[in-house]
Amino acid sequence: MKSLTVSIVLFFLMLSCIIFNSIYINEVFSEMNALLDALPDAGDTHCAESAAKICDYWEARVDTVGLSVGYTVVDRVSEQAATVLACANCGDLYGLRTAVALLRDALGDMRRLEEFSIGNLL
């Protein structure tokens, strides 16, 4: 009987960790998208500052996100965030728009792979 109780407790503990992880990844996804939405065009004087905020936000969370998200997706997000910053610093409008689109795609993959669903649980 003790093993059944321990198994049930462990099951609910695991389920709560999965739900918490899904909520956390969705919060990171939403905040990164909000920062990308607020990013001005490359010619704006505040563009590099806004791009640096995106990189700083991501760098502060990359280790925690990396606990559950695969390395390739985390690396893609890191690379695209760095590309956004580089394009913003040099004023490359088309490179910036491309990097933002690729960063949004990588963030979408991160969210999709970590969402709470039966497919991801199995």
Side-chain angles (χ1 to χ4, degrees), residues 4 7 11 28-29 34 54 59-61 63 69 86 88 99-100 102 113:
L4 177 64
S7 296
F11 173 75
V28 171
F29 171 82
I54 292 169
E59 288 300 320
R61 286 150 183 83
D63 292 333
V69 177
V100 166
L102 291 172
L113 294 171

Side-chain angles (χ1 to χ4, degrees), residues 91-102:
D92 181 7
L93 175 65
Y94 299 110
L96 180 66
R97 290 186 179 173
T98 301
V100 166
L102 291 172

Side-chain angles (χ1 to χ4, degrees), residues 6-20:
V6 169
S7 296
I8 290 172
V9 168
L10 287 176
F11 173 75
F12 282 110
L13 180 65
M14 182 183 70
L15 191 61
S16 64
C17 287
I18 291 170
I19 291 170
F20 173 75

Side-chain angles (χ1 to χ4, degrees), residues 24-32 57-58 61 65 110:
Y24 180 75
I25 296 298
N26 279 327
E27 286 177 5
V28 171
F29 171 82
S30 296
E31 184 62 27
M32 288 285 287
Y57 180 83
W58 175 249
R61 286 150 183 83
V65 170
M110 177 185 76

Side-chain angles (χ1 to χ4, degrees), residues 31-55 80-81 83-89 92-93 95-101 103-104:
E31 184 62 27
M32 288 285 287
N33 271 319
L35 290 170
L36 286 171
D37 289 340
L39 185 69
D41 280 335
D44 195 311
T45 57
H46 300 291
C47 185
E49 180 182 322
S50 296
K53 285 182 186 177
I54 292 169
C55 286
Q80 294 308 321
T83 305
V84 166
L85 180 60
C87 290
N89 282 332
D92 181 7
L93 175 65
L96 180 66
R97 290 186 179 173
T98 301
V100 166
L103 179 54
R104 285 186 194 272

